[in-house]
Amino acid sequence: MSNPRRKAPATIRRQIVEALRDPGRRFLDPKSSSRNHLDYWDLKAAGFYADLADGLAASEYLFLKPKNHPNDPQRYQCVLAYPENDPYPALDIHVTLSPKGQPPRVMVAVHESDTVQTLPRIQVDP
């Protein structure tokens, strides 16, 4: 039997929201194709960070991401859902957040959601 989704503590969610709203404390994962995805979806990074911060501030849908190894740092995940906007189709984006440091900086990785069936969506109104 699989483990139920575990929500991130409210304090962690607030810290991540604060970091996402501060340009000096947020960045895209340089080892991922996140930048290419945002470009392909025609999303500006600043607008995406604002949508993500607003969505997380208004929702409790931030979940612990399962660890591959016990000593791995804890990461968090959510699904951001953009509505259909002519000419763009509806878009579900899986977001992985990796906070680190004090105050935390947040590394963000994005890709098309492959967990949309298992994680509830944070609806975005861009």
Side-chain angles (χ1 to χ4, degrees), residues 29-68:
D29 181 351
K31 295 179 183 174
S32 75
S33 57
S34 296
R35 166 57 62 196
N36 293 342
H37 280 52
L38 290 180
D39 290 345
Y40 177 76
W41 296 324
D42 200 26
L43 291 173
K44 304 290 183 228
F48 173 76
Y49 289 130
D51 291 344
L52 181 57
D54 291 348
L56 288 173
S59 168
E60 294 182 1
Y61 292 156
L62 180 64
F63 299 92
L64 278 67
K65 188 162 186 174
K67 294 182 179 187
N68 292 327

Side-chain angles (χ1 to χ4, degrees), residues 82-102:
Y82 283 88
E84 185 171 345
N85 185 5
D86 198 34
Y88 301 105
L91 180 61
D92 292 322
I93 301 175
H94 183 261
V95 182
T96 300
L97 301 158
S98 304
K100 200 176 201 182
Q102 194 56 29

Side-chain angles (χ1 to χ4, degrees), residues 7 20 24 26 30 37 48 50 56 69 71 85 88 93 96 105 108 110-111 117 121 125:
K7 287 184 181 174
L20 289 169
R26 65 185 190 213
H37 280 52
F48 173 76
L56 288 173
H69 301 93
N71 292 337
N85 185 5
Y88 301 105
I93 301 175
T96 300
R105 294 181 69 225
V108 179
V110 300
H111 60 83
Q117 300 303 322
R121 296 174 177 103
D125 186 15

